[in-house]
Amino acid sequence: MTNSRTDHQPYVQAAVAQIEDIGLTVTGHAVTGRPPAVRTAVVTLEVPDSGPYADEDQDLELVWDEAYGWMLHLPAEAGMSDWFMGEDLVPAPARVARWVDMVLASPGLTPSREDGPQRLPESDDEAFEARLSAFATSA
């Protein structure tokens, strides 16, 4: 495995900026798992004023990790439900923001991916690292 693992903070910050640009309120975010640990991030979102989650008492969580990509932890009748964005682990930040907005407004419009991880965190994946690196150089 290569020792050159890209810091994911610039990518997460770009996604947070896009989420705020579309009008959602981010109350905080934490980037964890600095290399060589599994890279993860949690973005805390204020409950929207309208839509199916407007009556929730607690903030909502948007999570990214290098194995599954983006997912929303959302309240459901039986506790919490995870909504996975899809197969692209490093989608454009604007696409992440649009997806979050759509799921929060109309969760029935988007299916959640139900399968396993898209890549193993310990994988030596130069293409993945290059996609994350693009955000570090543009920050």
Side-chain angles (χ1 to χ4, degrees):
M1 184 161 123
T2 183
N3 290 333
S4 179
R5 290 174 43 101
T6 304
D7 184 3
H8 56 298
Q9 184 165 337
Y11 173 61
V12 173
Q13 288 175 325
V16 165
Q18 289 292 315
I19 291 166
E20 291 175 330
D21 283 352
I22 65 166
L24 295 173
T25 301
V26 174
T27 59
H29 72 282
V31 175
T32 58
R34 300 265 188 240
V38 175
R39 291 168 281 191
T40 61
V42 177
V43 178
T44 307
L45 303 168
E46 189 174 280
V47 174
D49 292 334
S50 62
Y53 301 102
D55 293 333
E56 293 302 319
D57 295 331
Q58 297 181 1
D59 288 344
L60 307 173
E61 283 189 346
L62 173 65
V63 177
W64 180 86
D65 75 34
E66 64 181 300
Y68 288 92
W70 290 100
M71 72 185 97
L72 274 165
H73 293 300
L74 297 174
E77 287 182 28
M80 295 299 281
S81 179
D82 292 337
W83 287 85
F84 291 90
M85 183 174 178
E87 295 181 12
D88 188 354
L89 296 175
V90 188
R95 187 169 160 228
V96 173
R98 288 190 305 268
W99 174 77
V100 169
D101 190 42
M102 180 187 65
V103 172
L104 292 180
S106 302
L109 293 179
T110 180
S112 176
R113 182 179 51 80
E114 298 290 332
D115 55 353
Q118 299 301 307
R119 69 180 289 276
L120 298 176
E122 61 273 11
S123 298
D124 188 9
D125 187 343
E126 291 180 22
F128 178 80
E129 300 301 331
R131 291 182 72 199
L132 281 179
S133 293
F135 293 94
T137 58
S138 66

